Amino acid sequence: MFDHYRSQNVRNAAIADWPEPTLPDAPDLRCAETVALGEQALDSLIGALAELSPLCQRIFYLNRFEGLKQREIAEQLNVSVRTVEDNIKRALLHCAQTLGQP
């Protein structure tokens, strides 16, 4: 019980230090430049995900876009929870490395 509260305090402290997202000062947030940058970022993400295995892509999609929990994905795809965890980690690392490059 003490470990739970201690880890929760650590998480809350980490979240408190997370910077607030900043939005452009433009009154119209859907200006052509903003839309083009968003589409370019989405295309880059799709390209990075396309380099992963079909299983990894499916697991990432179910977790990040459908909101399924790891256990639910494991049951749906008939794989272990560890496989789901590993593939989510692989997808996140690959996207961070690919999209982090200039």
Side-chain angles (χ1 to χ4, degrees), residues 23-39:
L23 296 175
D25 291 334
D28 182 14
L29 296 178
R30 290 202 41 94
C31 69
E33 182 180 5
T34 303
V35 172
L37 289 173
E39 288 176 351

Side-chain angles (χ1 to χ4, degrees), residues 7-21:
S7 66
Q8 186 175 12
N9 288 337
V10 169
R11 271 191 298 261
N12 290 340
I15 291 171
D17 293 339
W18 194 261
E20 288 293 321

Side-chain angles (χ1 to χ4, degrees), residues 32-50 60 65 94-96 98-101:
E33 182 180 5
T34 303
V35 172
L37 289 173
E39 288 176 351
Q40 183 180 18
L42 183 58
D43 288 343
S44 296
L45 176 63
I46 291 170
L49 292 174
F60 184 80
F65 296 104
H94 180 72
C95 289
T98 302
L99 301 177
Q101 295 174 352

Side-chain angles (χ1 to χ4, degrees), residues 59-70:
I59 288 172
F60 184 80
Y61 175 81
L62 290 172
N63 181 252
R64 297 299 168 162
F65 296 104
E66 296 293 325
L68 295 181
K69 297 184 185 316
Q70 294 171 356

